[in-house]
Amino acid sequence: EDSRRRAEAATFAWSTLQKTVREYPVIGVLLAVAAPLLGAAGIFLLPFALPLAIGLFVWSKQRGAQAEATAGSRSDAPKAVPKPRTVVTIEKAAPAVATPPAVASTSSRSATSSGGSAPTTAAPLTGSAALMARMRKSGAVTGEKRAADPASIAAEAAAAKEVKAKASNGSERSGASSTSTSFREDQNSRLFFLYGGEASTQIAGDLAEKAAAAGFSPRLVAMDDFKRCDLDKVPAVAVFVVETIENAQPAEAAGTCLRFFNRQRKKGESGSLAGKLRYAVLGLGDTNLLLDRQTTTAKDCNQAAQTLDSALNFLGAERMCQRGEANDAVGLEEAVEPWTEQLWAPLSEAVDAIGASASPPWNSAAAAAGAREVKFLFGSQTGNAAEICKEMAAEAPAKGFPNVHCNAMNEVDVKDVLKPGAVVVYVVSSTGDGDAPDNCDSFFTKLKRVAKKEAGVCGAGVQYAVLGLGDQNYSAFMAVPRSFTAAMEKAGAKAFYPRGEADETLGLYEYCEKWQDGLWEPLRTASERAPALAKDPTDGVAPATPAPAPVPAPSPAPSPAPAPAPAANEAEADLVGVPALPACRAAVTWRTDAPTLARYPWGTDSSSPPSSADHFTHEEPYLAKVAKSELMTDPKSDRRVLHVEFDTRGARGLDFEPGDSLGVLPQNDPALVDALAARLGLDPNAVFELGWAEGQAPSGSSSAPPLRHVRCPASVGAALTHAVDVTAPPRKSLLRVLAEACTDAGERRDLLTLCSRGGRDEYKVLCGDECPTLLDLLESHPSCAPGWAELLDALQPLQPRMYSITSAPEAHGGVPAVAFSVVRFSTPRGATRSGVATNWLDRRASDPTFRVPLYVKKSLHFAPPTDVSHPVIMIGPGTGVAPFRGFLERRRAMIAAADAASPAPGPAWLFFGCRRRDEDYLYRGDLESFAADGTLTELVTAFSRESSSTTKTYVQHRIADRAAEVAAIIVAPEARVYVCGDGANMAKDVHGALVDALAVHVDGMDARRATDTLMAMTKEGRYVRDIWS
């Protein structure tokens, strides 16, 4: 055998040398020159080297004899091990077992005689060496089919019998029954030694015997029977001895187990083994079995062990010690013995740990039920709160919270949330006027009602935390999150973690990441306290400290930097902060019959909602005709602004006032939908239904379906057209799902980088600036093939678009009108993007059959003064002027209706800005008419591109020009200031101009006091901004 190995090595070396010389002739020249020189040097040094060689030979023979003489005593020497417990229990007869407990050492060395002298003839191969030798003679290497060897079969049968005998004798010595105890009845038998392959059977048997001798209670199980161990259900300690055979493939007996855990990894079930499994992996291989030397390296001889170790680590299992990798080409014992010595201490700690944590019942449903449930509930209008809440819920299992549910608030029942012992994390945003988001509005209303009715009682024993999202440019900043806190406290619940207040203007996700990092320990404490509160809701719960101020320090408490997420393979180990894969909440059932499909577009053209409600809503919209569509900009301009009126005559529940908004439910481009269905390999006409995925249904009495925005039964085409947003910049949760669906490692890594914390800069450039659509992402990652349920769950709902109503009902017979810019732009890399709703309305407005699902969204604060004597300043550049047209129509009607005894109208100023008066002066005729008849006392315009100067003039500059007059109006009693338009730049610049005007032109004012004045006006509803980013 050794001769054959040497011959193979020589042949390989010679062929490699020939190939190298052919590719690099200069090396051949150097070798030709060096060879004679080396030969001459060898002849010269031979007289000196010969005595050294003879001495070395004599010394090695003596050392070998001494090693053999002491081998027996070394193997019998006991290790430092824990106190005895029970004896080994063999779950499945092994085809071969160890001889003495010295693992592989005696199997590959010659046996010594009783006198300690070496035998005169070589002993036959035994143990792992014999098994590896048989592996090398397998059909994969020799081209022959392996035949049944009667002698080997008989030997294996005898070995199996000997194993059973040892188990029985050991049981008698310990006083235990020789009958195997059920896994689920003996807590001390959760230690497994699993073997996969012929040689690994020998090694695993040796390890199990040593463990039993050390006082452990191991079970020896074949890896193809691993499911009997319930490793993913019940806390356990497992030592895997896994074999890699020909061409870096796992041994057949290891394949089932390895493929199972690798599939779990590919599904992205990170954390599924957290707190359940502690493990170690020992790999056995042989570089001589690597047939393809061009595509494999020496480390690939243990590829099966590497894959298993990576998968278990990704799934959240705790690694007890570094993976061992033994190569039989150099001797298995060279790696097995040192690895075994380092195993025992962590193994003892792991067994002690699970002994305390493993408790019946032993089935998965009961085990999940035994863990305290944590509810993650979101209220989200634009998708930010849902994104952040889902990320928290996905990370929770890896943090030790296996029983987690994540839902929109309207999917759960308030009474289930307010049960004693409940632990709840809310993530909720606040809209401009302080309204609750659409997917939590009914839940919030019920919560406030029950908290008022049963104050201090209905929420007793409930622990909660609130993370609020908002934008301080809005007048009702954090109104909803603070109201949630107030309602929960009134109900008697107690906060276990301070409320977070994330401000989009200061970095929404950065704040949320830090708040989330600090959440887990308080959540753990709350979960531990919950069982006692479930029994006694009056048990004292210390309230959390007051919520930290969101500015300037966005972190509630310093927290360590997040550890890198478990990598699916070594190529991803350097990625920092890869989020856990969100659990898919929905399951798809494909319908092959002909069910009655849900109606798309959703809505009715009846005079009232189907539910007989007072008003049409986003859930029950009115299908309106387009009465009029007019282009308001120069056709030559690259800006296209439309004025659109809707025929709502005869519809009750669509009453509106100036300042209200019209909600429009848009549709995706049909061409894009067809292209997406084709790329996904789905028939647009295929019909499906959605149900809750296993374990994802909300606990309690709620019967709400998953993904309520996808009304079922539905066709694939209808869902892609009406239900989900496929053009918005991709959120990181979507990127994480798409990454998991990639079979190409490079594409997977690219997407994981984009969704990781370490890839924040790449995400901003490639997703934030470039705004790729879903189709763009799929086409740029050809190997990505997401499941339909996973994709629907990851995509954001196609949200209603809100447009300010630009008319007063008394001026146009109650017909609502809106104005909007048709959104088209180019990205920094030259891609063209189009807005969903504006292009859809522009494309279809002239179609007489076109119907628009819409409803009226009432404004709480953005409304004209009810008294025309109150001074008012309106600032609305671009389409921001739209609501002020309605304001002024109302003001004109009020002035006309006033009698002689009515107070005189107060000053009314409008600041309007655009590019050029002959290009995009919106509602020019109306505005000039208001100025002419006195409805407006001042119409101040700013045309940014009419001046020959390189400096552009905007509305904030016009405010500065009239600063003294503006300041005088602002400080007048009952004055109102309204701002409408761009919130990213304009609103901030206008605010600064107003502060400057007050600070300079009002006695006793400085910048700080001016800011305080505007803040006080905001609280009083006299400084109101309706802005968008």
Side-chain angles (χ1 to χ4, degrees):
E1 189 67 24
D2 291 341
S3 299
R4 184 183 66 79
R5 290 189 189 180
R6 287 193 290 271
E8 285 183 356
T11 301
F12 177 72
W14 177 245
S15 63
T16 302
L17 178 62
Q18 288 178 318
K19 180 180 179 181
T20 303
V21 170
R22 283 196 297 270
E23 293 179 357
Y24 305 100
V26 67
I27 295 178
V29 174
L30 293 176
L31 290 175
V33 174
L37 295 176
L38 291 173
I43 294 172
F44 176 76
L45 294 173
L46 183 60
F48 303 97
L50 189 58
L52 293 174
I54 294 173
L56 180 62
F57 175 76
V58 172
W59 176 79
S60 64
K61 295 293 286 183
Q62 292 174 344
R63 183 174 179 272
Q66 292 171 355
E68 290 172 349
T70 59
S73 60
R74 282 197 304 110
S75 64
D76 293 335
K79 303 287 183 183
V81 292
K83 61 183 180 179
R85 297 172 180 169
T86 57
V87 352
V88 62
T89 303
I90 306 299
E91 278 300 322
K92 182 175 180 180
V97 291
T99 40
V103 194
S105 59
T106 59
S107 65
S108 56
R109 295 179 181 176
S110 299
T112 56
S113 67
S114 59
S117 60
T120 56
T121 58
L125 291 174
T126 62
S128 62
L131 294 168
M132 296 301 285
R134 282 160 49 195
M135 286 168 53
R136 287 191 288 272
K137 295 178 182 177
S138 68
V141 178
T142 64
E144 301 174 359
K145 292 184 178 180
R146 181 179 296 174
D149 180 359
S152 298
I153 294 174
E156 290 175 359
K161 185 175 181 179
E162 182 182 351
V163 169
K164 291 184 178 180
K166 287 184 178 181
S168 177
N169 293 336
S171 298
E172 291 170 3
R173 286 192 301 270
S174 63
S177 171
S178 61
T179 304
S180 295
T181 309
S182 169
F183 295 168
R184 301 183 179 183
E185 296 175 355
D186 183 2
Q187 296 183 17
N188 291 327
S189 62
R190 298 299 298 161
L191 169 61
F192 301 97
F193 287 82
L194 296 103
Y195 56 86
E198 295 180 349
S200 67
T201 307
Q202 179 79 36
I203 303 295
D206 288 347
L207 289 172
E209 285 193 3
K210 293 190 74 174
F216 293 97
S217 177
R219 295 180 182 273
L220 187 62
V221 182
M223 285 180 67
D224 53 9
D225 280 347
F226 78 99
K227 289 191 176 180
R228 298 171 58 190
C229 303
D230 285 342
L231 300 179
D232 57 340
K233 300 173 183 176
V234 184
V237 177
V239 177
F240 295 86
V241 185
V242 57
E243 199 168 298
T244 302
I245 56 173
E246 295 87 354
N247 213 28
Q249 296 300 309
E252 182 178 357
T256 301
C257 176
L258 193 148
R259 285 190 294 272
F260 173 83
F261 287 118
N262 209 30
R263 277 196 301 269
Q264 302 300 100
R265 177 193 66 77
K266 290 182 178 180
K267 291 179 181 178
E269 298 185 8
S270 62
S272 61
L273 295 179
K276 300 175 184 175
L277 179 63
R278 293 168 171 83
Y279 77 97
V281 174
L282 172 62
L284 308 180
D286 189 339
T287 49
N288 292 313
L289 299 181
L290 301 176
L291 304 183
D292 187 353
R293 301 297 178 88
Q294 301 300 318
T295 60
T296 57
T297 62
K299 71 175 184 178
D300 292 325
C301 77
N302 272 296
Q303 182 62 51
Q306 295 165 13
T307 301
L308 178 61
D309 185 31
S310 176
L312 293 174
N313 185 38
F314 176 82
L315 296 174
E318 180 181 336
R319 186 190 289 123
M320 293 187 292
C321 61
Q322 278 299 113
R323 179 180 66 245
E325 294 187 0
N327 183 356
D328 198 46
V330 296
L332 293 178
E333 68 276 8
E334 296 297 328
V336 172
E337 287 183 347
W339 183 85
T340 303
E341 290 177 3
Q342 69 164 350
L343 172 67
W344 301 117
L347 182 71
S348 178
E349 294 176 2
V351 170
D352 288 339
I354 69 152
S357 64
S359 58
W362 296 122
N363 60 79
S364 58
R372 177 58 52 179
E373 180 192 21
V374 179
K375 296 179 185 291
F376 288 86
L377 305 178
F378 59 84
S380 181
Q381 191 65 38
T382 63
N384 287 328
E387 171 84 356
I388 291 164
C389 190
K390 289 178 182 179
E391 181 180 336
M392 287 186 193
E395 187 179 351
K399 297 295 185 180
F401 304 96
N403 190 359
V404 168
H405 286 88
C406 180
N407 299 98
M409 294 184 207
N410 283 356
E411 293 176 343
V412 301
D413 196 307
V414 169
K415 64 182 180 182
D416 294 323
V417 174
L418 295 182
K419 286 182 177 179
V423 180
V424 188
V425 178
Y426 295 106
V427 184
V428 60
S429 61
S430 191
T431 61
D433 273 336
D435 294 333
D438 291 341
N439 59 5
C440 78
D441 52 0
S442 62
F443 176 92
F444 189 36
T445 300
K446 293 175 184 176
L447 175 64
K448 290 188 292 184
R449 184 185 303 132
V450 71
K452 181 179 180 180
K453 184 178 180 180
E454 303 177 44
V457 178
C458 60
V462 177
Q463 301 172 86
Y464 75 96
V466 175
L467 174 59
L469 279 58
D471 185 329
Q472 64 178 330
N473 284 317
Y474 287 95
S475 55
F477 177 63
M478 289 295 157
V480 175
R482 293 170 186 173
S483 295
F484 260 95
T485 300
M488 292 295 288
E489 291 293 324
K490 188 169 186 177
K494 298 298 179 183
F496 67 84
Y497 185 49
R499 182 180 66 243
E501 296 189 350
D503 184 355
E504 190 164 9
T505 64
L506 300 176
L508 190 72
Y509 283 90
E510 291 81 355
Y511 178 94
C512 292
E513 287 172 359
K514 293 179 181 179
W515 189 88
Q516 179 176 335
D517 290 341
L519 169 70
W520 304 115
E521 283 308 313
L523 180 60
R524 196 178 319 280
T525 302
S527 296
E528 292 169 354
R529 188 186 293 132
L533 290 171
K535 295 178 180 178
D536 180 11
T538 61
D539 191 18
V541 178
T545 57
V551 226
S555 175
S559 57
N569 55 60
E570 294 181 3
E572 298 165 6
D574 61 322
L575 298 180
V576 177
V578 174
L581 183 70
C584 180
R585 299 179 300 151
V588 168
T589 301
W590 295 101
R591 297 288 297 268
T592 56
D593 52 353
T596 301
L597 300 181
R599 181 174 178 178
Y600 286 100
W602 180 241
T604 178
D605 55 5
S606 300
S607 60
S608 58
S611 65
S612 300
D614 294 336
H615 301 282
F616 290 96
T617 66
H618 67 285
E619 293 185 339
E620 292 183 316
Y622 179 73
L623 297 177
K625 297 179 181 178
V626 174
K628 179 181 179 181
S629 177
E630 177 185 353
L631 178 65
M632 292 196 291
T633 50
D634 188 334
K636 298 177 183 177
S637 174
D638 60 351
R639 293 194 67 200
R640 184 174 176 83
V641 180
L642 295 180
H643 169 85
V644 178
E645 298 177 2
F646 298 98
D647 183 359
T648 59
R649 291 170 296 181
R652 297 190 298 272
L654 284 174
D655 299 335
F656 66 93
E657 296 292 330
D660 291 346
S661 298
L662 209 60
V664 173
L665 281 66
Q667 298 176 16
N668 288 310
D669 185 351
L672 176 62
V673 168
D674 290 342
L676 259 177
R679 168 60 182 83
L680 293 168
L682 297 174
D683 179 2
N685 297 314
V687 177
F688 67 95
E689 284 192 291
L690 292 176
W692 289 104
E694 183 178 358
Q696 295 300 315
S699 59
S701 58
S702 175
S703 59
L707 312 185
R708 294 177 62 182
H709 55 284
V710 184
R711 292 182 301 278
C712 294
S715 68
V716 169
L720 289 175
T721 300
H722 302 276
V724 291
D725 196 337
V726 297
T727 63
R731 297 188 179 275
K732 292 188 176 184
S733 58
L734 173 62
L735 296 172
R736 184 65 183 84
V737 169
L738 296 180
E740 206 61 29
C742 289
T743 56
D744 179 85
E747 294 175 10
R748 172 185 165 86
R749 180 184 171 86
D750 289 345
L751 292 171
L752 288 177
T753 299
L754 290 177
C755 68
S756 69
R757 293 190 184 183
R760 186 175 288 129
D761 293 340
E762 290 92 335
Y763 178 85
K764 181 181 182 303
V765 172
L766 297 178
C767 296
D769 296 341
E770 289 299 310
C771 304
T773 66
L774 174 61
L775 183 61
D776 293 331
L777 289 171
L778 292 174
E779 289 183 339
S780 60
H781 298 83
S783 75
C784 184
W788 182 233
E790 289 78 5
L791 188 61
L792 289 177
D793 191 37
L795 289 169
Q796 295 295 320
L798 188 57
Q799 296 287 357
R801 270 46 172 183
M802 309 305 299
Y803 300 104
S804 297
I805 295 177
T806 187
S807 55
E810 60 266 32
H812 301 278
V815 175
V818 298
F820 56 84
S821 296
V822 179
V823 178
R824 296 191 187 99
F825 64 95
S826 295
T827 69
R829 299 191 177 189
T832 300
R833 306 296 183 207
S834 300
V836 175
T838 58
N839 283 273
W840 169 64
L841 291 169
D842 187 20
R843 189 170 59 245
R844 298 289 309 278
S846 60
D847 183 351
T849 65
F850 183 43
R851 297 293 183 272
V852 180
L854 52 78
Y855 62 97
V856 172
K857 177 81 168 179
K858 293 291 184 179
S859 175
L860 298 179
H861 305 290
F862 196 79
T866 56
D867 189 333
V868 295
S869 67
H870 294 170
V872 59
I873 295 176
M874 296 164 283
I875 305 164
T879 55
V881 76
F884 299 133
R885 176 175 179 258
F887 278 36
L888 292 169
E889 288 177 345
R890 169 63 56 85
R891 180 180 173 86
R892 174 184 278 169
M894 292 173 67
I895 292 173
D899 54 28
S902 300
W909 287 42
L910 173 65
F911 288 87
F912 170 74
C914 63
R915 293 178 179 177
R916 300 178 181 87
R917 70 188 74 219
D918 59 353
E919 179 184 353
D920 55 348
Y921 192 164
L922 307 181
Y923 297 114
R924 179 176 182 175
D926 293 314
L927 299 183
E928 291 178 346
S929 172
F930 293 136
D933 66 13
T935 304
L936 266 178
T937 54
E938 285 288 339
L939 173 59
V940 185
T941 56
F943 303 109
S944 61
R945 300 190 183 181
E946 282 192 351
S947 172
S948 58
S949 171
T950 56
T951 302
K952 296 179 179 179
T953 301
Y954 297 111
V955 289
Q956 61 265 29
H957 301 125
R958 292 303 189 203
I959 293 172
D961 293 342
R962 310 288 296 270
E965 297 162 283
V966 167
I969 294 174
I970 293 175
V971 297
E974 301 298 335
R976 305 294 199 271
V977 179
Y978 301 92
V979 181
C980 184
D982 166 44
N985 298 301
M986 181 276 296
K988 297 176 183 178
D989 294 338
V990 164
H991 183 78
L994 296 176
V995 169
D996 291 343
L998 292 172
V1000 173
H1001 296 286
V1002 177
D1003 292 339
M1005 282 262 189
D1006 55 17
R1008 183 182 61 81
R1009 291 183 178 179
T1011 300
D1012 291 344
T1013 297
L1014 293 176
M1015 180 63 69
M1017 292 179 65
T1018 298
K1019 293 179 179 179
E1020 295 167 4
R1022 296 192 298 115
Y1023 176 34
V1024 188
R1025 295 183 288 183
D1026 183 10
I1027 55 179
W1028 55 86
S1029 299

